[in-house]
DNA sequence: GAGGCTAGTGACAGCCGCTGACAATTGACA
DNA sequence: TGTCAATTGTCAGCGGCTGTCACTAGCCTC
């Protein structure tokens, strides 16, 4: 980890990632070529592809960090918590610790900026959604194990995770299109949407007034 | 619609689609180039791209047909039905009428085959999920209008649709990985998963026994 | 400290998806 | 039948991505 070689590698990777995010957020994803990134770092295109599986991979790298942080939080939740509450707490915890997770690479604002890029770039959004589906798979297994159930035969963990993820997707989307683009706004939206989950599922809807 | 030109165009399009599906399901999506498809039809690559926005577009064309059939069904549901029930009935109705919708292009088996291809090809799955997100948007508006709510300020229609879509995603996935690959199996899974939605959301889970 | 060993890089060639531009063809319609 | 418009083919080119191979630079041993 501390040999010169390793440090050089890590520096190259971070340089590539930083430049990529910079260009994606300023110029746009489609308007940025891999060559642009590689040239800006002073490295060959081939090298870029040795560090990232593709252009998408670089664009989603930050998000991947926060996601794995979230999954860790879920695993660390006390076992007596009901599953849905464990997910809820883990997400909120994720927002609170986002700073420490992301700041080692870029300032948090850049992360927020990338979110807008992802949400507004069809091919990136698609890749993001597919990754989310993979995360759902992982969460399903975690919850099943927590509760001593068999994820292969019992659909309930999978269903709960799917519902939860659906709510979070709605939250992400509204957040990224709203004017308010802060972590506090994200927290508030998360809480409010999860509270509305019950009422939204009732047979018929009573008139709604914003609280 | 019945001029010679139009008929020729439609025939070309259907030929391209049929050949594409044939190759995708037998050889695999990634292993099939656009040139393969165009050559097999006896048409230039450029022409393929005049009929389909891309390779993905051809692979998802069948699915798009069934989806729009489903959306139509939702719109046609009687207004007194609670929203979730309307979605439920529309989906089941969708499976029942799938034959008529798809058979004009390829036999139903091919459609089922394409589903496996989509589910097992990362880039296709990603595109499929993104399209599903767009469908959610449409459904949200339909439900909001049905209930006389404003989709822009009231999150409940959006949340309900997200939850419903989450359940359907789980259903699709399990169906495509199960051995049972029939419409009846899909119907049964749909019904059972929607019934389990309530129990899956309860605070704690009681032991589960398969019915 | 010189040697060989290996991980990391650059340079090159090439495939595939996709697009723009223009010329050639083929159906429509007077 | 001749004119016009729609459809197609050809060609050139870009960008993402991969395989190959030679080269460089850090590592490790004697």
């Amino acid at each position: 980890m501390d040999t010169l070689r390793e440090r050089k590698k890590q520096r190259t990777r971070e340089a590539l990632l930083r430049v990529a995010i910079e260009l994606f957020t300023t110029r746009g994803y489609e308007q940025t070529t891999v060559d642009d990134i590689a040239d800006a770092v002073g490295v060959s295109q081939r090298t870029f592809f040795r560090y990232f599986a593709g252009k998408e991979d670089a664009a989603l790298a930050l998000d991947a960090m926060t996601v794995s942080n979230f999954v860790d939080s879920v695993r660390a939740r006390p076992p007596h918590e009901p599953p849905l509450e464990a997910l809820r707490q883990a997400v909120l915890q994720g927002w609170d610790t986002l700073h420490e997770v992301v700041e080692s690479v870029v300032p948090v604002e850049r992360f927020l900026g990338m979110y807008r890029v992802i949400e507004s770039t069809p091919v990136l959004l698609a890749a993001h959604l597919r990754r989310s589906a993979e995360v759902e798979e992982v969460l399903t297994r975690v919850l099943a194990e927590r509760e001593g159930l068999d994820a292969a035969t019992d659909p309930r963990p999978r269903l709960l995770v799917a519902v939860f993820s659906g709510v979070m997707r709605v939250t992400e989307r509204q957040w990224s299109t709203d004017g308010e683009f802060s972590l506090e706004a994200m927290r508030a939206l998360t809480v409010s949407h999860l509270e509305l989950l019950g009422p939204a599922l009732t047979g018929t809807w009573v008139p709604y007034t914003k609280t």
Side-chain angles (χ1 to χ4, degrees), chain A:
Chain A
M1 179 75 80
D2 55 343
T3 138
L4 175 58
R5 247 202 195 124
E6 311 255 349
R7 263 174 299 157
K8 250 187 161 176
K9 264 176 64 177
Q10 188 147 346
R11 258 191 295 128
T12 319
R13 200 195 128 88
E14 283 191 5
L16 282 168
L17 188 50
R18 258 190 280 268
V19 168
I21 291 169
E22 185 68 26
L23 292 177
F24 291 159
T25 49
T26 55
R27 190 185 310 181
Y29 179 76
E30 319 261 21
Q31 285 67 45
T32 306
T33 71
V34 174
D35 281 319
D36 291 338
I37 302 168
D39 288 352
V41 176
V43 126
S44 78
Q45 191 213 48
R46 197 67 184 82
T47 294
F48 174 92
F49 285 109
R50 289 201 177 92
Y51 283 95
F52 298 97
K55 211 174 133 185
E56 285 179 11
D57 196 41
L60 298 177
L62 278 184
D63 183 59
M65 293 168 63
T66 70
V67 166
S68 87
N69 177 47
F70 160 63
V71 173
D72 289 347
S73 294
V74 175
R75 283 194 231 267
R77 283 274 105 197
H80 61 80
E81 259 176 353
L84 186 54
E85 181 60 16
L87 292 175
R88 194 184 106 102
Q89 293 295 344
V91 168
L92 294 175
Q93 200 169 324
W95 299 130
D96 291 338
T97 58
L98 189 128
H99 232 276
E100 293 96 87
V101 173
V102 166
E103 200 87 2
S104 69
V105 186
V106 291
V108 182
E109 315 142 19
R110 288 269 174 283
F111 170 79
L112 303 182
M114 270 311 298
Y115 235 97
R116 303 185 89 139
V117 174
I118 293 171
E119 206 77 31
S120 62
T121 309
V123 53
L124 276 189
L125 180 56
H128 173 63
L129 291 174
R130 201 199 67 221
R131 288 184 175 212
S132 302
E134 287 166 11
V135 173
E136 289 186 40
E137 204 62 33
V138 174
L139 288 178
T140 299
R141 283 197 291 275
V142 171
L143 287 195
E145 191 177 353
R146 257 174 81 97
E147 308 293 320
L149 303 176
D150 179 12
T153 60
D154 192 335
R156 291 174 302 174
R158 200 177 297 276
L159 282 171
L160 178 66
V161 169
V163 168
F164 179 81
S165 302
V167 175
M168 289 314 299
R169 247 280 67 223
V170 170
T171 308
E172 281 179 4
R173 179 154 161 40
Q174 180 167 348
W175 175 64
S176 76
T177 56
D178 271 5
E180 261 287 307
F181 218 64
S182 64
L183 281 178
E184 294 72 39
M186 186 61 181
R187 244 195 101 94
L189 267 182
T190 304
V191 170
S192 123
H193 278 159
L194 285 173
E195 272 172 6
L196 274 172
L197 178 55
L201 291 178
T202 62
T204 55
W205 288 323
V206 296
Y208 170 77
T209 50
K210 202 161 188 174
T211 51

